Structure formats: C-alpha cells, structure tokens
Amino acid sequence: MMWIKNKAIPALAMLMALLILFAGQPVHASGVEAAVEGKPANPGSLTFVLVHGAWVDASFWDEIAAELRKMGHTVYTPEYAGHGSDQNKNVTHAQETKSVVDFIKQKDLHDIILVGHSFGGTVIQKTAEQVPDRLKRLVFFDAFVLPDGQSAADQFPAPAKEMFVQLRKASGNNTIMLPFNLFRDTFVNTATLEQAQALYKKVIPEPGGSLFEKLDLKKFYSLPTPKSYLYLTEDIAMPQIPPYGWHPGQSSHLGVYRFIEGTGDHMTTPHTRPQEIADKIVQAGRD
C-alpha cells in the first residue's frame, strides 16, 4: 500500500501543476464562435444555401434546415424577389437570381453547396454563373435544369403549358395560382386529404413572368462546378412522360452528375419526412 501511495503523490502533484498552469487562461468556445460567424462549427460540417421553388417561400425549408443544423451543418435559406414579404409579383428571373447572389455576397459565403428545389433549379443555374468561385457543388432537388435558351414553362407538355398560360391570363395580375385539385393530385399526391388541405394554405400565387422567360445558360454549361441530382420516385409535379419529368428528363441535361434517389412527392415529403430528405441532401452534397 505504501508503494501505491508513493506513486499517487507525484501524479497528484502533476495534476495540481496543470490546474495552476491553466487557471485564468481564456476558454475558447470555438464551435460557438464559428456558428455565430456563419462558419461550420466542426471540420466535417458543410455549408448549405437552400433555394425554394415556385408557389412557396423560404419557409418551405424550415423542417429540413432544422434537421441539417442538428447534424452540425450550417444552413441558409434566402428569400428571393416576388416571394415572402415582397408583394411585387412583376419580377424578372434576373431579379430573383440577384436576390440569392446578393445574399451570398453579403454573407461572404464560400465553399457552399447550393441547393435548388423545383423552379429553384433555374435560380441556382443563373446564380452559379455569377458566383462560381464561391461554390463547392450544385444540388438539383427534383428541380428544373433548363437547356440553354429555354424557359421553365417549356419543360411541360403543350397542354400543361397552355393551362399555365390561361391561369396567368385569368389572374389579372400576372400571377399563376395552382388550383387545389391540381395541387392535390400532382404536388402532394402521397398526402392525406387533411395534409393536402393544410399544405395548400401555404401556397402563394407565383409571379408568372419568370416562368416563361427563356434564359441564356451558355455560361452555366461551361462551368466545371460538380453537380448532383436528388430525385424522389413519387414526385409527379412534372408529368413523368418521356421526354418530360424530373429524371431523366431534367437530370440528363447536367451531363455528368451524382445521382441520389429517395421516395416521396414534391411538397408533402419535405414537411413530413424532413430527416430523410436532409440525409439525402447531405449524400448529394458531400465530397
């Protein structure tokens, strides 16, 4: 027992010395500081900028963003012109894109994974042209990938495109509002009626002009930025009739890309199964 006691004394002395050495030294909560500055709090985390699609605002991402943050990632959900608190519906695609570009520059974001859902795919295409040096990867989540010189409306079969033309004319203010029956059958097709009705309350009239704008995307198709496509197999917001549909209709425009597949529809699943979607987004965005 004396041997144990004698050995314990130097160990205790060393511990006391360490306590004295570090007493009064500042403790750096590096993770907290990094989070405040908008930087990843740990080396394995990623920085996501999530861009919503048509007929919704940035709150579309609330549940998914919360799940990504729980994983330790940094997440931004910018709003763009003609949506959210902006009541001006006579906006151009360039104005919508500028909102996202300005947000990225004002936050001085770098190495970002830029994610676009639905119509948001067209916004991230044009955003990428303006801030390519700030991007790590582009992720298209059941999103449009427009060919050069085409519009989002051009991606639909002629009868569907004509329907949007008529809805735009009928609005009287250059917007397009989704009729509930169309929304219920194609955007939230896996939802219960109660879920569909609750989600429809969040649907907002979409500025009609930008949906029909034909975009010059030559620069986009010259960029070396890595790209991914996340496809949910039950998403029929785009008619899944070749050559239309999300995949391979839209995804094939990317050329070489990472393909990630999940299950779910266009607007129900992001709200009811956000953890699954967050996991898929990470798979699409990571190295």
Side-chain angles (χ1 to χ4, degrees):
M1 294 299 294
M2 284 301 296
W3 181 85
I4 295 174
K5 290 179 181 178
N6 289 341
K7 288 289 185 180
I9 291 171
L12 181 60
M14 183 177 294
L15 176 60
M16 292 299 295
L18 287 171
L19 290 172
I20 293 170
L21 177 64
F22 287 104
Q25 295 297 314
V27 177
H28 297 285
S30 57
V32 174
E33 291 173 355
V36 170
E37 294 173 5
K39 299 176 182 177
N42 62 72
S45 67
L46 302 169
T47 299
F48 292 96
V49 175
L50 310 178
V51 180
H52 67 79
W55 294 291
V56 295
D57 59 24
S59 67
F60 171 83
W61 293 110
D62 285 354
E63 295 93 342
I64 293 171
E67 293 296 334
L68 288 168
R69 291 181 182 117
K70 286 179 188 176
M71 299 178 197
H73 303 298
T74 301
V75 185
Y76 299 93
T77 57
E79 189 55 272
Y80 55 83
H83 299 75
S85 60
D86 185 1
Q87 298 300 309
N88 177 23
K89 298 297 183 180
N90 291 309
V91 295
T92 64
H93 196 281
Q95 288 174 302
E96 293 171 332
T97 299
K98 185 177 184 299
S99 300
V100 179
V101 170
D102 288 350
F103 181 93
I104 290 170
K105 289 181 176 179
Q106 288 165 7
K107 297 287 186 182
D108 195 24
L109 304 181
H110 292 272
D111 293 323
I112 64 176
I113 297 162
L114 186 59
V115 182
H117 179 253
S118 194
F119 180 76
T122 73
V123 178
I124 71 170
Q125 281 184 282
K126 293 302 291 183
T127 298
E129 292 182 343
Q130 298 186 46
V131 290
D133 56 321
R134 295 173 181 265
L135 304 180
K136 184 180 182 72
R137 179 175 285 270
L138 293 168
V139 176
F140 294 82
F141 171 23
D142 280 351
F144 292 107
V145 184
L146 301 186
D148 178 43
Q150 294 191 23
S151 70
D154 291 335
Q155 309 314 300
F156 288 90
K161 184 176 179 180
E162 179 59 24
M163 177 191 66
F164 287 129
V165 169
Q166 296 305 318
L167 289 171
R168 182 183 178 189
K169 287 180 179 178
S171 72
N173 63 355
N174 196 36
T175 64
I176 298 172
M177 183 60 182
L178 289 176
F180 177 74
N181 288 344
L182 176 65
F183 175 78
R184 197 272 175 276
D185 288 346
T186 62
F187 282 69
V188 292
N189 44 296
T190 68
T192 65
L193 178 59
E194 291 74 19
Q195 287 174 327
Q197 290 170 335
L199 289 169
Y200 190 66
K201 291 178 181 178
K202 300 180 180 181
V203 173
I204 59 176
E206 181 67 18
S210 54
L211 289 176
F212 286 84
E213 280 189 59
K214 297 182 184 297
L215 303 182
D216 183 339
L217 289 160
K218 294 179 183 65
K219 184 175 180 179
F220 171 78
Y221 284 105
S222 72
L223 298 176
T225 311
K227 304 168 186 71
S228 298
Y229 202 94
L230 168 56
Y231 170 61
L232 302 187
T233 56
E234 296 160 288
D235 188 337
I236 57 170
M238 276 277 287
Q240 293 299 107
I241 306 169
Y244 306 102
W246 300 121
H247 174 74
Q250 293 297 306
S251 60
S252 62
H253 299 155
L254 291 173
V256 177
Y257 63 97
R258 180 187 300 169
F259 178 65
I260 303 295
E261 185 176 279
T263 61
D265 68 24
H266 200 63
M267 284 192 181
T268 312
T269 311
H271 297 290
T272 59
R273 289 152 50 195
Q275 184 176 359
E276 291 179 36
I277 302 303
D279 287 339
K280 294 294 182 182
I281 288 175
V282 171
Q283 290 175 30
R286 67 190 177 192
D287 290 333

